[in-house]
Each structure stands twice: as C-alpha cells, then as structure tokens.
Amino acid sequence: MAKPSGLFPPLAASATRQRPMHVHGPRLLPAPPKPHFHAPAALRFAVAASAAPVSPARKKAAVIVGGGLAGLAAANHLASLSVPFTLVEASDRLGGRVATDELDGYRLDRGFQIFLTAYPECRRLLDLPALRLRPFYPGALVFVGPGEPFYLLSDPFRLPLRSLSAVFSPVGTLSDKILVGLTRLRAAATPDDVILSSPETTTATHLQQLGFSPSIVERFLRPFLAGIFFDPALDTSSRLFELVFKRLALGDNALPEDGIGAIAAQLAARLPAESVRLSSRAAAIDQSGVTLDTGETIPGGLGVIVAVEQPEAERLLPQLRSTDKPNNSERSTVCLYFSADRAPVQDPILLLNGSGKGIVNNMFFATNVAPSYAPAGKVLVSVSLVGSFADREDAELADEVVRELGGWFGAGEVASWTHLRTYRIGFAQPDQTPPTTPAGRDPRVGDGVYVCGDHWCSATFDGALVSGRRAAEALAKDRGLS
C-alpha cells in the first residue's frame, strides 16, 4: 500500500465458472496497450548527495528532516515560495516508503501500493499524465476455498451489465450488494469536512452499524480493507474508511508505468540543485537547527520541519509521544515477488483471500496492469501478507506462499514460479484507531519546529502530501515569507 498504500471497491459479485488454475479465462477488459519504455531508471534521484558541511556564511534557511512524500511536499512548497532550505535524508535515496527497486528488468515496489487518482492533493501537486498511470479493473476476484470458482466483484456504476449477474453470488447477500452501492453513492456525495467531523468508531463497528452481513465482511470487506490499512481486525477509524471509500468511488486505481517510486521521483526532480543531502541521519533537533549523527550541525535559522515516520519523529521529538491511548502504532506487511512465465488470470485485477484461511491476504499479477514491471515475455507476481511474520525466514515464507497459492491456481501452475525478493515493511502505516485527527493537526510543535507526515494527518498518500504543504505554509507564515 503505505504509502503505501489504496485498493479499489468491488461493488457487486458474480461467479467466474472458469477455474483459473486450469485455463486462461476470457479477458474482462481489452488487452492494455504496450507501455512506452524509457531509459532504465534506478529512481535514485538527481539531487546533491554531498556531505560537505554547510558554509557558515550561507544565508538563513530552513531544514527539512526526511525525504519521504511529506518531506518532498514541504520542500516543493518552500521552493515555490523561494524559501531556502536543506533537506536531509538518512538513506541513500528519496521517497521513503514510496519506492521502487529494479532487479534484472523487474520493477519491484517496496510493498503493495496502489495510487488512487481521486486524491485531491495528488491531483494538485503531481503531473498525473507524466506518470503514465495504468488502471486496474474496477473490481476483484475473491477466492473462497480450494475447488471453488473465483467470484468476480465489479463496480455496478462502471460495469452495470456485468454486475447484474453478480446478484446471487455467495459473497454477501442481495441486501449487501444494494447496501454497498448505497454506501458508495453516499460517500461520493459527502463533503470531506463532514466525513472528517462525523462521529468516530472502528471500521468493524461501522460496517456492522451500516448493516453489512458477516458473509460480505469476512469474504470481501475484511481482506479488502486489510490490504488498505494493514489492519485485519478493522480497528481503523470509521472516518478514514469513509474518506478512502470516497476516493475509491470517485477515481481509478492505478500503477505508474515506472513503478510507484515514480511519484517521489517526480517531486524530487523539481527541487533546487544542492538542496538535498542524502545519507545524512538526524540525531537531535532543536529550534536552532539539526545535529547529524556525525556531530555536524545544520543551522535552521528559518525553522525545522520534521518529516520522518512516526517512530523516528517520536525519537527526535519525545514530546510527540501520546499518552492518550495504547501504543498500537505499528502496521506491518510483507510483500513477496515471484517471476512466472504466464499468468493464470489474464486481467489487471486484484485477487482477495476470502476463505478465512492461510497467510495470503491479497495478490495480483503486476504485469497484467503494467507490462513494464517485467522483461518482455515474463510475468511479475505480487503477493501481500498482513503482519510481520518475524518468526519465519524469507525462504520459508516464500515456500509457504507458493504452497498456499497452489490451492488457488493448482500446484502445477505455481511450481515454476521463481522467488525474486521479499520486502518486510515493519512500519507500513501509523496507528489509525480512534480517536484520530484525519483532518490533520497543527504542524507547530515548538518555537520554529514543525511536524508533518501521514501520522500527523490521514494515513494516505494525500495525507502525507497535505501535511507537508501545511508545515511549509506554517513556517513561511511564521517567518513572514508567505
């Protein structure tokens, strides 16, 4: 997901009587056009990585700590206001959790992440056509058990004819299908400020209050939402559920041709030369500047914006640690990639585990969405688990996943899959259990110190970008530079 993160809302159901483990079923959509290949990009951005000390004679500047989406948004807004800054990033690249690696011609996103085109801040800040977004089919296939067909769930507002045959599928009741449609319409028509100020409970309780049956919750909504929030218990705020459901209803779900990291790369490419320092870890922060773990101090005469993920922000600024609720801040996921010679499902669609058994939560064939994710003639398989699975080695986990998916597609189909890489994302998202403030908090946390990130707003791409902009705007306003 993180940000990671977003899936799409299947909104009606039907059974696909072909068994994907035996045959290549007919396409639900026309074959996507071949992608436009460009020069390979390692997504290590064209920014200054020098560790040379900042000259004492340099004019006053701001310091941004962290080069994820929030830090990049803050940097872009400061640059647009001609406010000088230095962005320090602990790793050797920008993007934070929104990153893509290249391995032997495969593009591997660091964790399962899908871009929602209806995010309003993303639409304002990003050049979406330049990302060459490739959409998913507006629906999902649900696995309910070995020997059973996959059940197709489609958006009835986008694919009404296909959805008519879904009425009597076993994934939910007829009332559930009507209720999903009504929930979609209501969410799409509700202003954001109303959603964000509505009474708050957990998503699990909210779904029950809306009237959804256990059948559709367990077979569809739980795995679907667990893939978004990395929270199978559905303790996530009902406000965030409604906000994300609205975005899912209003836009497409897509992957950039060059990988999810292309989003961060686009933002990084706009930054002024010499404004970024990579491999520079902050050890301490105060209103005067940032001290690196090397002992060097970078003056922050205009202020310091802390744009790191929640655990690191609380280490640097202990006053941020909450005492209002238990520390359930970790949302973990494991993403495994495999290479295959063919895909048993031919469409750009998400597959959900609605069986209630096994460790796989969701998976998809990435090259069905964006063929550029693999060399010509090869298929990239992406499999997502929810949790850390810290007690299992990568090889053991990969073997278990392949055995489990043999029950989905047939043991012979998956026997030739080759494990490429496993990503363990220990902190995929911050805690979003009630009480929350998805509308965002004041970025000012001290004299000249500001905080941003998805933990300071909503745990979405948009939340990170909005919080970064707000931190930059607050700094500029406080210094009379806006």
Side-chain angles (χ1 to χ4, degrees), residues 1-24:
M1 295 68 272
K3 301 309 208 173
S5 106
L7 311 178
F8 43 81
L11 300 172
S14 67
T16 59
R17 290 300 167 187
Q18 307 96 326
R19 297 183 185 272
M21 63 286 292
H22 297 308
V23 299
H24 292 259

Side-chain angles (χ1 to χ4, degrees), residues 440-465:
R441 290 177 276 179
D442 189 335
R444 300 170 179 88
V445 296
D447 185 15
V449 180
Y450 308 82
V451 170
C452 58
D454 60 359
H455 62 100
W456 215 248
C457 197
S458 63
T460 62
F461 283 179
D462 235 37
L465 296 177

Side-chain angles (χ1 to χ4, degrees), residues 28 83 108 111 118 235 260 296 396 446 482:
L28 304 173
V83 176
L108 309 180
D235 290 330
I260 204 73
E296 177 193 352
E396 177 188 358
S482 58

Side-chain angles (χ1 to χ4, degrees), residues 53-403:
V54 176
S55 168
R58 182 175 177 176
K59 62 182 179 180
K60 283 186 177 181
V63 180
I64 302 171
V65 181
L69 285 190
L72 290 170
N76 271 260
H77 284 284
L78 289 183
S80 72
L81 296 171
S82 299
V83 176
F85 66 89
T86 297
L87 188 157
V88 296
E89 164 57 40
S91 73
D92 62 354
R93 57 163 190 83
L94 295 176
R97 286 168 278 168
V98 183
T100 302
D101 295 319
E102 293 193 1
L103 176 67
D104 299 330
Y106 294 90
R107 290 191 167 107
L108 309 180
D109 294 335
R110 294 193 182 183
F112 174 59
Q113 303 179 64
I114 291 180
F115 182 76
L116 277 64
T117 62
Y119 282 139
E121 190 75 8
C122 290
R123 296 180 69 85
R124 285 191 289 266
L125 187 57
L126 297 170
D127 180 354
L128 297 189
L131 292 175
R132 303 189 304 280
L133 296 169
R134 306 299 298 269
F136 278 76
Y137 176 86
L141 286 172
V142 178
F143 171 76
V144 298
E148 293 287 331
F150 283 73
Y151 290 94
L152 173 66
L153 293 88
S154 302
D155 184 337
F157 294 92
R158 303 185 193 191
L159 300 168
L161 294 179
R162 183 170 298 280
S163 298
L164 288 176
S165 62
V167 170
F168 300 107
S169 83
V171 181
T173 65
L174 174 59
S175 296
D176 286 325
K177 281 104 181 185
I178 296 172
L179 185 56
V180 170
L182 294 174
T183 302
R184 181 193 192 277
L185 286 174
R186 177 180 49 76
T190 303
D192 285 2
D193 60 342
V194 174
I195 292 175
L196 297 176
S197 61
S198 63
E200 186 177 33
T201 184
T202 66
T203 294
T205 299
H206 186 55
L207 294 175
Q208 185 178 26
Q209 291 172 344
L210 289 173
F212 287 107
S213 74
S215 171
I216 199 166
V217 170
E218 297 306 319
R219 289 189 164 180
F220 164 57
L221 289 169
R222 191 176 301 278
F224 170 64
L225 295 171
I228 299 174
F229 302 130
F230 308 113
D231 170 26
L234 302 186
D235 290 330
T236 297
S237 168
S238 56
R239 292 173 179 170
L240 188 59
F241 162 78
E242 290 285 348
L243 188 66
V244 170
F245 203 71
K246 177 179 179 177
R247 304 294 180 241
L248 294 167
L250 293 178
D252 289 325
N253 310 280
L255 293 176
E257 276 193 4
D258 290 338
I260 204 73
I263 296 169
Q266 186 181 111
L267 295 174
R270 302 173 184 170
L271 302 184
E274 308 300 324
S275 65
V276 175
R277 294 181 56 177
L278 302 177
S279 302
S280 302
R281 180 177 296 277
I285 291 172
D286 59 34
Q287 64 187 39
S288 65
V290 176
T291 300
L292 303 181
D293 59 3
T294 60
E296 177 193 352
T297 296
I298 302 177
L302 295 180
V304 177
I305 296 176
V306 180
V308 293
E309 62 185 22
Q310 184 177 358
E312 182 68 1
E314 292 176 351
R315 182 187 70 82
L316 292 169
L317 300 171
Q319 67 268 33
L320 300 184
R321 294 171 187 161
S322 174
T323 58
D324 295 337
K325 61 182 181 179
N327 184 13
N328 300 318
S329 59
E330 184 171 301
R331 294 284 184 265
S332 301
T333 183
V334 180
C335 182
L336 299 93
Y337 286 103
F338 299 87
S339 169
D341 293 325
R342 69 171 194 169
V345 172
Q346 294 292 291
D347 302 283
I349 191 167
L350 185 73
L351 287 83
L352 299 174
N353 184 358
S355 71
K357 300 177 181 178
I359 62 174
V360 174
N361 186 76
N362 57 275
M363 58 90 63
F364 74 113
F365 299 93
T367 36
N368 288 354
V369 181
S372 53
Y373 267 58
K378 302 298 287 187
V379 169
L380 180 63
V381 186
S382 172
V383 183
S384 295
L385 321 180
V386 177
S388 64
F389 295 88
D391 59 337
R392 308 192 203 179
E393 299 292 333
D394 286 358
E396 177 188 358
L397 206 54
D399 289 344
E400 185 171 352
V401 165
V402 169
R403 285 194 300 272

Side-chain angles (χ1 to χ4, degrees), residues 412-465:
E413 184 71 49
V414 303
S416 62
W417 290 6
T418 301
H419 179 227
L420 295 174
R421 184 170 291 178
T422 295
Y423 288 96
R424 296 176 181 265
I425 315 297
F427 189 88
Q429 281 187 14
D431 178 23
Q432 297 285 292
T433 57
T436 65
T437 52
R441 290 177 276 179
D442 189 335
R444 300 170 179 88
V445 296
D447 185 15
V449 180
Y450 308 82
V451 170
C452 58
D454 60 359
H455 62 100
W456 215 248
C457 197
S458 63
T460 62
F461 283 179
D462 235 37
L465 296 177

